[in-house]
């Protein structure tokens, strides 16, 4: 497995949280607990319009989420009222090799804990960082190659971008939808790997999906079925959202578990 590709792809998807600093926190709106059912706008009758509208609440930056697909599993929270976010992810390739990572962001600081498993033995200085949260210098993070692409994002999976790629959709039950989407058009989504899209070829333009919305029309689940391509087996990419308007602020790591990030950590994520 390519450790750099995994590291960049996974951490890049999580370092999107500094984008919270670029947005003004609207505590009067977000801290109020989200929209009430009585004041919520009606869910559009047209299935595609309903799914396009379902991601609007994500933009407010106050929710919890989970991500899963092809050996990856993760969960976290985004809390724009406090300009904070937290994310953890684990990778297991099924052969016994596993890696994990946790990132915490509280304006203007961020910390990352990386567990590279056995591969950590191949990286200088990795052992002394094991079990420690590395405090990141934001000026160095912004220069870390692909990481900078995610600095202005709030949505961990880019679901709004994915829904824009919907080519056909139908409502199957109240709050439930099924259809197909063009993953090649979702160039800004962190949930779909560009190399995988390339390997899929024409198949990427018509991937089956299912989606679920809550009673207020907010996206709660998106599952994309990805066929086998190259060395990648067929799998589902699943994203869930919950606690709209009611997420809790991220907490700083304990001081005795914090060290300054090593030069190797920044280097790991450069192209």
């Amino acid at each position: 497995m390519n450790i750099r590709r995994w590291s960049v792809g996974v951490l890049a998807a999580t370092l999107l949280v500094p984008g919270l600093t670029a947005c003004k926190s609207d505590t009067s709106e977000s801290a109020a607990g989200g929209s009430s059912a009585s004041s919520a706008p009606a869910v559009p009758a047209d299935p595609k319009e309903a799914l396009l509208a379902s991601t609007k609440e994500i933009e407010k930056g106050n929710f919890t989420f989970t991500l899963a697909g092809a050996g990856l599993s993760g969960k976290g929270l985004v809390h724009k009222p406090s300009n904070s976010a937290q994310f953890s992810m684990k990778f297991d390739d099924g052969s016994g090799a596993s890696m994990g990572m946790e990132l915490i962001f509280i304006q203007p600081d961020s910390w990352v804990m990386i567990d590279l498993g056995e591969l950590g033995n191949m990286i200088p200085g990795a052992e002394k960082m094991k079990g420690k949260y590395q405090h990141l210098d934001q000026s160095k993070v912004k220069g870390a190659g692909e990481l900078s692409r995610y600095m202005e994002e709030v949505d961990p999976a880019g679901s709004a971008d994915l829904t824009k790629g919907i080519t056909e959709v139908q409502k199957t039950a109240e709050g439930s939808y099924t259809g197909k989407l063009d993953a090649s058009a979702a160039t800004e989504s962190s949930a779909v790997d560009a190399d995988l899209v390339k390997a899929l070829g024409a198949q990427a333009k018509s991937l089956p999906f299912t989606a679920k919305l809550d009673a207020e029309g907010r996206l709660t689940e998106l599952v994309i079925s990805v066929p086998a391509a190259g060395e990648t087996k067929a799998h589902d990419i699943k994203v869930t959202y919950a606690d709209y308007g009611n997420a809790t602020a991220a907490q700083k790591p304990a001081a005795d578990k914090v060290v300054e990030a090593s030069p190797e950590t920044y280097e790991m994520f450069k192209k």
Side-chain angles (χ1 to χ4, degrees), residues 161-222:
D161 196 44
L162 287 169
T163 56
K164 290 176 183 177
I166 291 174
T167 55
E168 58 181 84
V169 59
Q170 60 182 342
K171 185 176 181 179
T172 57
E174 193 61 39
S176 297
Y177 301 82
T178 185
K180 294 183 179 181
L181 59 81
D182 182 359
S184 66
T187 56
E188 299 301 319
S189 173
S190 303
V192 181
D193 181 73
D195 289 339
L196 178 58
V197 170
K198 184 177 181 179
L200 286 169
Q203 293 184 96
K205 295 183 175 297
S206 187
L207 297 183
F209 78 88
T210 61
K212 293 182 180 179
L213 312 186
D214 64 13
E216 296 181 37
R218 301 172 298 193
L219 183 66
T220 58
E221 179 183 288
L222 177 63

Side-chain angles (χ1 to χ4, degrees), residues 117-253:
E118 294 181 0
L119 289 176
N121 299 328
M122 302 164 56
I123 300 176
E127 182 61 31
K128 67 179 181 180
M129 296 296 183
K130 190 173 182 179
K132 298 289 187 180
Y133 287 92
Q134 298 184 56
H135 178 253
L136 298 168
D137 181 332
Q138 295 305 301
S139 66
K140 294 181 180 179
V141 169
K142 292 179 180 178
E146 291 189 26
L147 296 182
S148 59
R149 290 201 308 116
Y150 298 85
M151 287 297 173
E152 301 305 319
E153 299 296 326
V154 175
D155 181 3
S159 292
D161 196 44
L162 287 169
T163 56
K164 290 176 183 177
I166 291 174
T167 55
E168 58 181 84
V169 59
Q170 60 182 342
K171 185 176 181 179
T172 57
E174 193 61 39
S176 297
Y177 301 82
T178 185
K180 294 183 179 181
L181 59 81
D182 182 359
S184 66
T187 56
E188 299 301 319
S189 173
S190 303
V192 181
D193 181 73
D195 289 339
L196 178 58
V197 170
K198 184 177 181 179
L200 286 169
Q203 293 184 96
K205 295 183 175 297
S206 187
L207 297 183
F209 78 88
T210 61
K212 293 182 180 179
L213 312 186
D214 64 13
E216 296 181 37
R218 301 172 298 193
L219 183 66
T220 58
E221 179 183 288
L222 177 63
V223 180
I224 304 171
S225 297
V226 182
E231 298 179 357
T232 303
K233 297 179 180 179
H235 63 281
D236 287 342
I237 296 173
K238 182 177 180 179
V239 187
T240 70
Y241 299 91
D243 302 313
Y244 284 112
N246 291 297
T248 57
Q251 301 298 308
K252 289 185 178 182

Side-chain angles (χ1 to χ4, degrees), residues 102 104 111-113 131-135 253 257-260:
E102 179 181 1
I104 299 171
W111 303 261
V112 63
M113 179 187 287
K132 298 289 187 180
Y133 287 92
Q134 298 184 56
H135 178 253
K257 289 186 174 294
V258 175
V259 295
E260 287 300 314

